[in-house]
Amino acid sequence: MKKMFLVLILISSVCLCGFAGTRSETPEEGWSSLSYENIPVLKVMESREGYVIIYQKNKIGVGSTVIPKSWAKGNPDEPRKLKFRNLKSGIVKPYMTVIKKDGEFHRVILNLPTSKTNTVWGSLKEIKEGLDKTNLDDIKL
């Protein structure tokens, strides 16, 4: 009985080794070219031209960036670069997700309460800098 049990184990291990061939593709071939980074948002200042996002940097500093409102409108040639996702107040802190494709900026998703009465929202009369032609294709963090 013990010999028969050992023979079965030996046969099953040989069969498993035969089915476990090598993979023909390297692991990188199946990977996506997209990557993302979630960044905590402290304040969103809205103006007529765009949004000034004040965000937390590496848990020790504060940074700001400007996002044009035109990014929220898509066109047939290029998908929109800005998307809003509603968060319920108090459950999750506001954050933005910056998505990169092949290491280059692709789109940004603002995850925050859409109610303008929330303390995350503020307003500006105008944005004085950061919304020029050189900043319309990328987000500077």
Side-chain angles (χ1 to χ4, degrees):
M1 187 72 153
K2 289 181 183 179
K3 290 181 183 179
M4 194 157 131
F5 182 69
L6 289 173
V7 169
L8 285 174
I9 290 176
L10 182 64
I11 291 173
S12 63
S13 64
V14 169
C15 289
L16 287 175
C17 290
F19 288 123
T22 60
R23 291 179 61 177
S24 61
E25 65 177 336
T26 59
E28 292 83 17
E29 287 179 11
W31 291 9
S32 173
S33 62
L34 294 175
S35 63
Y36 71 93
E37 181 180 4
N38 289 329
I39 303 165
V41 171
L42 303 174
K43 195 80 171 168
V44 177
M45 306 297 286
E46 182 180 18
S47 78
R48 206 175 62 174
E49 300 91 17
Y51 306 97
V52 176
I53 311 295
I54 301 171
Y55 61 92
Q56 189 172 350
K57 291 170 61 171
N58 299 329
K59 301 186 189 248
I60 57 169
V62 174
S64 67
T65 189
V66 177
I67 299 175
K69 281 190 174 181
S70 62
W71 283 9
K73 300 174 185 131
N75 60 33
D77 299 331
E78 188 175 315
R80 60 186 175 149
K81 294 182 181 183
L82 173 62
K83 181 180 177 184
F84 288 94
R85 189 178 299 151
N86 187 23
L87 285 182
K88 295 192 178 185
S89 298
I91 297 175
V92 177
K93 302 264 186 200
Y95 65 99
M96 71 175 161
T97 303
V98 178
I99 300 173
K100 296 181 179 182
K101 187 173 188 176
D102 296 323
E104 299 289 323
F105 171 75
H106 182 63
R107 100 178 348 184
V108 63
I109 301 171
L110 290 176
N111 304 283
L112 43 93
T114 55
S115 171
K116 304 289 179 163
T117 59
N118 192 290
T119 58
V120 170
W121 287 95
S123 64
L124 289 173
K125 288 189 178 183
E126 68 179 62
I127 299 173
K128 301 210 181 227
E129 57 185 58
L131 201 58
D132 57 356
K133 297 284 184 199
T134 60
N135 197 23
L136 290 180
D137 292 332
D138 197 3
I139 189 169
K140 305 292 184 209
L141 297 178

